[in-house]
Amino acid sequence: MVCERSDIFASACAISRAFPVFSRRSLASRRTEKKRVTVEFMIVGADSSPLEPNELECLSNAADGVRLAARIVDTPCNEMNTDHFLDEIKAVGAELGITPVIIRGEELKHKGFGGIYGVGKAAEHPPALAVLSHTPEGATQTIAWVGKGIVYDTGGLSIKGKTTMPGMKRDCGGAAAVLGAFKATIKRGFKDNLHAVFCLAENSVGPTATRPDDIHTLYSGKTVEINNTDAEGRLVLADGVVYACKDLSADIILDMATLTGAQGISTGKYHAAVMTNSNQWEAACVRAGRSSGDLAHPLVYCPEMHFSEFTSAMADMKNSVADRENAQSSCAGLFIASHLGFDWSGVWVHIDIASPVHAGERATGFGVALLLALFGQASDDSILNQVSPLGAASSSAPGEAMERDCKRRRLV
Ligand SMILES: [Zn+2]
């Protein structure tokens, strides 16, 4: 790879997408596949000094994170069910010395996670909420990444058609990206509290499946009348973000999801759709997209005009919009935010990656590079500082700490 120093991170992540891990071709045809790929960087431009070992390690960690996410997304649900996804989370935890918190099956129901439980209860493998937590000394803020991990989406009783269901193994792309990014970013050193929250369920069909008309109470305490069982991602994420707020006291909550087919209509195949209650974070997401190669573009955020799409006569809201031609991807995001409350004082960021999660038949590992760059300011790593929208966190005098913390909380 010949590139300028400022492009090494995006270039390394791009190369890692070109060499996928998952294959179930029989051994005879796999023998011809390359086992090992060596990538050489030649730096050109003003600063063309060779890369330091720790810089190479950062690129290697980022590439591993991208490929881990892509492998999980490529793996079909007869292998990557909720049990196996939990095994992947435990394996990352074991490598980092973190034991995940796991709430599963009937326990979800008893603790009030009506969204995750309602979506996953008809599947053979029970749904789960899993959390990996990094809580270093001296942290000044608490960040939570919440990933949608629908390991397969049949649509539930509002079942998808024979042409729209294939590919739905990829509906765990948000959770896979959160896992890949968490592994890479903690390995590089992360100064703030960081929680990775995984909302895992298989949206299946069976006698115990949620029906249209059923009303579920979500972890927020709000009631939801189900009018479309295929709008399930927002239900599991609503529980996930409220857990991040209530139980983890997060100041900044980012959810990442393959949420809506309409995302491709809104921002296309290459740009994720970003929606947030903060102008600064909206701009930061776009800049992080450009510096990481995981491009992003804003969606309309207008709860006062759009949230009425979910009006229900029976419950606090329905789960799917009345008019599918009225900013559908934005409305789906608003559903999630409404469970935090539109007056919640923290920063909420929603990233819909439904289209860029794959390119043709293959997963892209989309989202890993974006998260690494977006939160690069809190990293100990120099490359991640460079690709961060605001550079490295300043180490100002103790007297300025309060001002700095307030500024950071609002600005990244
Ligand atoms: Zn669905």
Side-chain angles (χ1 to χ4, degrees):
M1 168 57 69
V2 179
C3 66
E4 293 189 14
R5 187 165 280 272
S6 57
D7 293 334
I8 52 171
F9 179 75
S11 303
C13 292
I15 292 167
S16 67
R17 291 183 197 108
F19 298 98
V21 184
F22 180 79
S23 173
R24 286 295 175 270
R25 285 189 177 143
S26 60
L27 280 177
S29 54
R30 280 173 83 175
R31 226 163 262 147
T32 55
E33 290 175 17
K34 275 197 168 172
K35 294 278 186 292
R36 195 174 187 85
V37 178
T38 303
V39 180
E40 197 173 330
F41 277 86
M42 190 174 285
I43 310 299
V44 295
D47 180 5
S48 61
S49 56
L51 294 178
E52 300 288 332
N54 68 323
E55 292 178 302
L56 287 170
E57 214 176 304
C58 172
L59 300 181
S60 172
N61 289 154
D64 285 348
V66 171
R67 297 177 84 215
L68 167 64
R71 176 175 62 74
I72 290 173
V73 174
D74 273 339
T75 307
C77 187
N78 62 334
E79 294 184 35
M80 191 54 67
N81 55 44
T82 53
D83 292 351
H84 289 130
F85 206 119
L86 285 172
D87 289 343
E88 298 283 352
I89 292 167
K90 286 177 198 164
V92 168
E95 210 176 320
L96 301 173
I98 300 170
T99 307
V101 170
I102 298 172
I103 304 169
R104 204 165 185 205
E106 294 304 305
E107 197 187 348
L108 285 167
K109 183 183 175 183
H110 297 136
K111 291 196 165 161
F113 294 93
I116 300 175
Y117 181 77
V119 171
K121 66 190 165 120
E124 181 187 352
H125 303 277
L129 178 90
V131 188
L132 289 170
S133 295
H134 166 78
T135 51
E137 294 249 328
T140 57
Q141 57 188 357
T142 298
I143 297 155
W145 295 344
V146 184
K148 172 184 171 184
I150 299 296
V151 291
Y152 202 80
D153 184 14
T154 62
L157 292 178
S158 311
I159 200 161
K160 291 176 186 288
K162 66 183 173 188
T163 56
T164 50
M165 204 186 295
M168 282 302 139
K169 65 176 181 179
R170 302 189 189 108
D171 217 10
C172 58
V178 165
L179 185 62
F182 185 83
K183 183 180 176 185
T185 210
I186 300 305
K187 282 196 164 187
R188 300 321 299 155
F190 198 82
K191 293 169 190 156
D192 283 327
N193 296 325
L194 181 63
H195 302 280
V197 180
F198 305 92
C199 306
L200 305 177
E202 180 179 345
N203 190 17
S204 196
V205 175
T208 60
T210 289
R211 309 159 196 85
D213 297 342
D214 285 358
I215 296 174
H216 291 317
T217 305
L218 271 50
Y219 195 55
S220 62
K222 293 187 195 304
T223 56
V224 179
E225 179 186 4
I226 306 298
N227 58 334
N228 179 1
T229 64
D230 196 10
E232 82 296 333
R234 61 199 70 180
L235 296 167
V236 302
L237 286 171
D239 278 355
V241 298
V242 172
Y243 179 84
C245 173
K246 269 198 211 171
D247 294 61
L248 304 173
S249 308
D251 314 300
I252 298 171
I253 299 176
L254 177 146
D255 72 73
M256 184 170 273
T258 50
L259 201 67
T260 60
Q263 177 271 311
I265 311 292
S266 305
T267 59
K269 288 181 178 176
Y270 311 114
H271 294 71
V274 172
M275 188 176 175
T276 165
N277 61 1
S278 156
N279 283 330
Q280 289 92 337
W281 277 80
E282 182 178 285
C285 286
V286 173
R287 286 204 299 275
R290 286 178 185 158
S291 63
S292 68
D294 279 351
L295 298 168
H297 194 80
L299 286 177
V300 173
Y301 175 79
C302 191
E304 62 275 34
M305 286 188 178
H306 289 151
F307 192 63
S308 57
E309 284 288 341
F310 294 104
T311 301
S312 163
M314 305 290 164
D316 294 337
M317 67 190 83
K318 292 186 178 179
N319 76 319
S320 190
V321 290
D323 182 354
R324 295 174 73 82
E325 291 178 12
N326 187 18
Q328 205 187 133
S329 292
S330 288
C331 290
L334 286 182
F335 180 95
I336 299 164
S338 74
H339 289 265
L340 286 171
F342 294 121
D343 56 353
W344 184 57
S345 59
V347 171
W348 168 73
V349 181
H350 163 65
I351 304 185
D352 191 340
I353 63 169
S355 281
V357 76
H358 71 114
E361 295 286 300
R362 278 290 182 185
T364 52
F366 191 98
V368 174
L370 181 60
L371 287 174
L372 290 175
L374 186 57
F375 292 87
Q377 193 194 31
S379 178
D380 288 326
D381 185 273
S382 62
I383 290 185
L384 297 184
N385 288 166
Q386 282 160 30
V387 292
S388 153
L390 286 182
S394 57
S395 48
S396 40
E400 299 166 40
M402 176 77 89
E403 193 191 351
R404 187 192 72 217
D405 287 347
C406 293
K407 215 167 151 192
R408 284 181 67 191
R409 187 155 300 195
R410 278 289 139 214
L411 290 174
V412 173

